[in-house]
Amino acid sequence: MSKVGILMGSKSDFDVVKPAVSVLKKFGVETEVRVISAHRTPDEAHEFAATAKEKGIEVIICAAGKAAHLGGVIAAFTTLPVIGLPVKTDMMGGLDSLLSIVQMPAGIPVATVGVNGGENAGLLALQMLAIKYPEIEKQLVAYKEAMKTKINNDDEALQAMLG
């Protein structure tokens, strides 16, 4: 089965990463979750990126705040898709993290989700995997259908209440 690597620049980012881990596990996707800093442990970042494919990892999610270079550093050392997950900071509410991730130079793409968007990072990884794995695609279709049903039920309840 597929495997997603999830890196965070600091252990304090784990609360942001948890929804990604949760949605991936819900879909039966294995995760490898690590604390690796682009700035404080660059050798480990390089090693992870360089060996990820041989460990069976197919997508990498990188959560980081402030000078959020982790995704870019990882993307520089791999051809695997990398998803940047900006972490909210007290400095600029996460805008600093978001801008650090989305402003990658040409040739080093990093897909990016919203600030603290752990669930969307996991779902984007699943959509990438669904290209190769039909069973994940089927689960995503069911997931989206369940969201649609919930919204339709909420609307019906609201209309009845206003009624």
Side-chain angles (χ1 to χ4, degrees), residues 97-139:
S97 309
L98 177 65
L99 293 175
S100 292
I101 295 171
V102 299
Q103 297 186 92
M104 295 306 303
I108 310 295
V110 175
T112 309
V113 296
V115 175
N116 282 7
E119 184 173 354
N120 274 350
L123 288 167
L124 183 55
L126 288 166
Q127 289 179 323
M128 291 173 176
L129 293 170
I131 294 168
K132 180 177 176 183
Y133 299 102
E135 64 275 12
I136 293 176
E137 182 179 14
K138 286 177 189 167
Q139 288 180 283

Side-chain angles (χ1 to χ4, degrees), residues 118-160:
E119 184 173 354
N120 274 350
L123 288 167
L124 183 55
L126 288 166
Q127 289 179 323
M128 291 173 176
L129 293 170
I131 294 168
K132 180 177 176 183
Y133 299 102
E135 64 275 12
I136 293 176
E137 182 179 14
K138 286 177 189 167
Q139 288 180 283
L140 280 167
V141 168
Y143 179 87
K144 289 187 175 208
E145 189 60 35
M147 284 193 306
K148 175 183 168 185
T149 299
K150 181 190 180 316
I151 294 300
N152 287 338
N153 290 342
D154 289 350
D155 182 51
E156 286 177 21
L158 177 64
Q159 297 309 313

Side-chain angles (χ1 to χ4, degrees), residues 49-65:
T51 62
K53 195 178 287 187
E54 64 193 50
K55 291 191 291 185
I57 292 172
E58 296 176 272
V59 179
I60 302 171
I61 297 171
C62 295

